[in-house]
Amino acid sequence: LEYYGKALVIHKAGATVGEGQTYHNMACMYQTQGNFVLALEFYNKGLAIKRDKLGENHSEVAMTLANIGLLHQAQNRPAKALRCLRQAHAIFLGHLGPQHPHTQNCSRALQSLL
């Protein structure tokens, strides 16, 4: 986490896709550590930057949405998980196709909730 913090300092000159990805990566670390509150906060920061810089329908946006969905699933919030995973799946399907591993992983996560 120390190095991600240093990366954020570098990115702070202006919100960049790199800053959004750094927030995403930090969220993954917090999630792995079981700190779901900070993980969600950092995923949302990264998501906002990615949406702003890449648009709503970019695969990087979908990746963060999928991770937020999985975080909600881990916290037994199925409605929130479904909403995020459905958005992510639609983006993955449209940009990467049905055979891409990201699309397939998202499909499996959705099926586990239904």
Side-chain angles (χ1 to χ4, degrees):
L1 285 172
E2 173 188 351
Y3 292 107
Y4 287 131
K6 289 179 181 181
L8 281 177
V9 171
I10 292 168
H11 293 301
K12 283 292 182 185
T16 65
V17 174
E19 182 182 3
Q21 188 59 44
T22 300
Y23 278 121
H24 177 104
N25 293 343
M26 291 177 77
C28 290
M29 294 295 296
Y30 285 125
Q31 186 172 354
T32 300
Q33 294 171 352
N35 191 337
F36 297 145
V37 172
L38 274 179
L40 185 57
E41 178 184 333
F42 278 68
Y43 278 135
N44 283 324
K45 286 180 180 183
L47 181 61
I49 293 168
K50 288 179 179 184
R51 281 179 165 158
D52 180 57
K53 300 299 178 186
L54 300 171
E56 288 287 327
N57 293 309
H58 194 279
S59 60
E60 285 297 322
V61 170
M63 184 62 69
T64 300
L65 282 168
N67 282 3
I68 291 171
L70 293 172
L71 178 65
H72 285 308
Q73 184 179 20
Q75 293 183 291
N76 197 28
R77 297 180 185 157
K80 289 182 178 184
L82 275 171
R83 186 178 67 240
C84 291
L85 289 168
R86 283 181 174 145
Q87 289 175 17
H89 186 262
I91 296 168
F92 285 142
L93 193 59
H95 287 281
L96 304 176
Q99 300 306 315
H100 194 278
H102 293 331
T103 309
Q104 292 179 349
N105 288 339
C106 201
S107 290
R108 282 190 290 278
L110 277 168
Q111 289 171 3
S112 74
L113 288 166
L114 300 175

